[in-house]
Amino acid sequence: MSALHALGHEVVLSWSPDRLKEVMLPYGQDVETCRPARMTDLVFTDIVGLEQIRALHGSLYHYRCILRVLDVYGTDPLFNHPLFNPEIQSTSWGGKGLDPAQFFTHFPHSPDNSFLGFVVQKYNISGDEEEVQDYFRQIALLYGKRPSVLNGRNKLRFIDLVNQHFNETHATMYVNVRNKKGVEMYESIPDYVINHRNLGQEEFRRLLRKARVYVGLGFPVDGPAALEAIASGVVYLNPRFANPRPVADKKPTNRKLTSQNPYAETRIGEPHVYTIDIRNLTHVEQVLGSIKGMPRPPPLVTHEFTAVGFLERLHAYLENQNFCPNEVQTLANSGLTWRRNKKQWPPKSVLKVKLSEKGESCTMACSRHKLVCERSLFNDVNNEKLFNTLGSNCRGVKQILPLEELEIYRRRLVYGKPEPPCHAPSISTFTSQCLLQTDKLLFSCACAPPTDVQRICPCREYGDQIALCVGCY
């Protein structure tokens, strides 16, 4: 909200269904021009607000193309599709039929969605003597809001080892379990841990700056606190998952996590981040020894999470993203009408076509080439001519028709592993057929194809903004 205001836009807020009726009347006629009119040019909301809009208008039809949905974990195209959403009966997420880029995420984890992010402030130590002493103390701070994060095999042995290497171990865990006498129960928190309970943001940051290491315990995942620690010059211990885990229960994504914070693992790394198997105590011991033996790393914030980076990214989206069709457009509350031809963004000139390995997603295929998958460019690779330029000998070209695939998909969803038709454009190495996609909602970077299929992937380069192509903002 503050970034939109800083960029010069008029921001109107809604905080309840009643307020929504005041600021977002149903799509209707401008009384002076008799032309169709909306009261807003863009709507930023979340899933709760989306349902409020649907309830107010009966559908999202007239506002669909101007919606921007804040979505922490991301929404895969498969879950977004009204027909193929595998969670359609069990959650309000998914099945909205929006362009997947209309979902704005917390981290740049899914190239199918738009990475909005947040701002992390870098801490610069002042000359205050007490502050300097605090900054160079050797304490460990546990990452977790509740004692339940300590549950699990070998976690207490891991924390014991951390405590042996540092002068103090602190935590900020909220305890709301009481015994029959009304006394709070701390059984799962070791006695040597100094627990501060819930702290306000400033108090927490002050404690964080005193820490030498911020100790991840596996949950919460994809949280901002890891980046706040790195921005304070604190080393983040990032637990690696032996078996990649789903993001969260019933979230509309098949994305798997390799660690508690994959961004810190892949985009930052040592000496600010050590991604470790906390069950391998020998390796943990080596890492802790290395951290104690090296100078404290300087505070670091990657450009994507600075205020300037955030404003650049938001401005680029506001100026270039257009999910409305080529039709007469009307500026909200003005009656000003014009025919707007959509420009392609990012432009086709940034396209680099790559062929995936069999069974590999385009997200992974582009990443192997130090590129990122650009979903908006699938239209440019979804044609028979491109198959020929790649040297593929297609025995035939088959169009993937979602309605024909739907019954097969639903049957497999109940009785086995479904194979949604989201991998086209692609090549079946088993049948030598080239497959074209007919439903744009099913274009997907994240979709993993069957093991005999190679995907045609639209990739692009990126600089210090993975969400934006070089020279595109």
Side-chain angles (χ1 to χ4, degrees):
M1 291 183 290
S2 57
L4 289 168
H5 175 74
L7 290 171
H9 301 281
E10 181 184 358
V11 181
V12 179
L13 304 183
S14 171
W15 49 84
S16 69
D18 289 339
R19 171 62 176 167
L20 186 64
K21 293 177 184 178
E22 298 176 11
V23 302
M24 197 175 175
L25 291 173
Y27 187 90
Q29 295 282 332
D30 183 285
V31 293
E32 294 183 0
T33 65
C34 294
R35 291 171 177 155
R38 281 191 295 248
M39 295 184 68
T40 54
D41 298 307
L42 280 181
V43 178
F44 285 85
T45 186
D46 58 12
I47 194 65
V48 175
L50 203 64
E51 291 307 310
Q52 288 182 7
I53 295 169
R54 186 193 297 275
L56 176 63
H57 298 289
S59 76
L60 300 175
Y61 179 76
H62 288 298
Y63 286 89
R64 181 177 299 278
C65 69
I66 64 169
L67 294 171
R68 306 293 186 267
V69 184
L70 305 182
D71 179 10
V72 172
Y73 297 113
T75 296
D76 291 345
L78 169 63
F79 289 80
N80 170 62
H81 199 285
L83 299 179
F84 290 90
N85 173 23
E87 298 287 353
I88 199 164
Q89 301 299 327
S90 58
T91 176
S92 61
W93 283 103
K96 306 304 183 202
L98 303 177
D99 188 298
Q102 290 177 258
F103 294 96
F104 281 36
T105 61
H106 226 201
F107 280 92
H109 41 56
S110 174
D112 288 321
N113 305 140
S114 296
F115 163 49
L116 180 63
F118 50 93
V119 174
V120 179
Q121 294 184 347
K122 184 164 70 173
Y123 171 68
N124 294 311
I125 188 170
S126 68
D128 181 82
E129 183 177 346
E130 182 179 351
E131 190 175 11
V132 171
Q133 290 177 349
D134 284 343
Y135 190 75
F136 289 100
R137 289 175 67 183
Q138 294 286 331
I139 72 172
L141 177 60
L142 304 183
Y143 181 10
K145 297 178 181 179
R146 295 183 182 275
S148 57
V149 300
L150 301 174
N151 298 336
R153 288 179 55 193
N154 294 327
K155 279 194 181 175
L156 292 181
R157 291 177 62 192
F158 167 60
I159 297 168
D160 287 343
L161 187 57
V162 170
N163 187 64
Q164 292 170 22
H165 280 77
F166 294 91
N167 299 335
E168 299 172 5
T169 301
H170 293 247
T172 56
M173 295 180 184
Y174 174 63
V175 180
N176 63 349
V177 179
R178 297 175 182 270
N179 62 19
K180 293 180 180 180
K181 296 182 179 180
V183 178
E184 290 180 330
M185 299 172 65
Y186 290 81
E187 280 90 344
S188 57
I189 302 178
D191 292 337
Y192 56 74
V193 174
I194 303 169
N195 187 30
H196 300 262
R197 295 173 55 88
N198 278 7
L199 292 179
Q201 188 68 3
E202 286 304 314
E203 292 174 300
F204 171 74
R205 287 181 176 176
R206 196 175 300 118
L207 176 63
L208 184 62
R209 291 194 293 266
K210 295 178 183 179
R212 187 74 167 83
V213 292
Y214 193 43
V215 183
L217 296 165
F219 187 84
V221 297
D222 273 346
L227 300 193
E228 291 177 352
I230 296 163
S232 298
V234 181
V235 175
Y236 171 51
L237 295 182
N238 183 32
R240 177 183 287 114
F241 301 145
N243 298 308
R245 300 180 184 176
V247 169
D249 185 40
K250 294 185 179 179
K251 294 300 181 185
T253 176
N254 285 325
R255 182 166 59 93
K256 297 293 182 68
L257 301 170
T258 56
S259 66
Q260 184 173 351
N261 194 301
Y263 181 87
E265 176 186 1
T266 59
R267 295 279 285 165
I268 300 177
E270 299 178 11
H272 304 275
V273 180
Y274 286 83
T275 300
I276 55 175
D277 179 358
I278 64 176
R279 297 173 302 177
N280 185 341
L281 298 183
T282 301
H283 182 233
V284 171
E285 180 100 44
Q286 293 172 349
V287 168
L288 294 175
S290 298
I291 293 171
K292 289 188 68 176
M294 70 180 188
R296 183 167 179 151
L300 172 70
V301 178
T302 57
H303 180 70
E304 293 170 316
F305 286 93
T306 64
V308 171
F310 184 90
L311 289 170
E312 283 177 351
R313 196 162 55 250
L314 180 59
H315 175 70
Y317 291 149
L318 293 171
E319 290 297 310
N320 297 292
Q321 282 187 333
N322 178 14
F323 304 106
C324 297
N326 288 331
E327 59 184 18
V328 173
Q329 310 231 334
T330 304
L331 189 65
N333 287 331
S334 72
L336 180 63
T337 302
W338 72 101
R339 182 171 292 278
R340 180 179 181 182
N341 292 322
K342 290 174 65 173
K343 67 175 181 179
Q344 184 172 2
W345 187 82
K348 186 178 178 181
S349 59
V350 306
L351 173 64
K352 295 182 181 297
V353 183
K354 301 296 178 183
L355 189 63
S356 80
E357 299 291 339
K358 289 186 287 187
E360 182 182 47
S361 72
C362 282
T363 300
M364 296 303 298
C366 294
S367 179
R368 280 194 296 106
H369 295 279
K370 309 299 182 185
L371 303 169
V372 65
C373 179
E374 180 54 63
R375 184 186 178 278
S376 64
L377 296 175
F378 267 111
N379 265 331
D380 297 299
V381 299
N382 189 48
N383 58 76
E384 188 174 348
K385 181 180 178 181
L386 186 71
F387 288 122
N388 297 329
T389 63
L390 291 173
S392 57
N393 297 315
C394 302
R395 289 186 180 176
V397 176
K398 177 185 176 182
Q399 290 190 332
I400 299 294
L401 301 173
L403 290 178
E404 292 182 4
E405 302 278 340
L406 183 60
E407 192 56 40
I408 299 173
Y409 174 77
R410 286 179 174 167
R411 195 158 53 243
R412 287 176 175 169
L413 193 63
V414 175
Y415 297 108
K417 183 178 179 181
E419 291 183 356
C422 55
H423 53 77
S426 54
I427 303 168
S428 171
T429 57
F430 179 71
T431 63
S432 297
Q433 270 192 325
C434 294
L435 309 172
L436 293 175
Q437 185 61 263
T438 61
D439 188 337
K440 293 181 180 180
L441 285 180
L442 287 173
F443 283 143
S444 171
C445 292
C447 180
T451 54
D452 66 323
V453 170
Q454 290 180 281
R455 300 195 58 193
I456 311 297
C457 300
C459 309
R460 62 164 172 81
E461 295 178 336
Y462 60 91
D464 52 12
Q465 289 265 24
I466 195 170
L468 306 175
C469 57
V470 178
C472 292
Y473 60 98

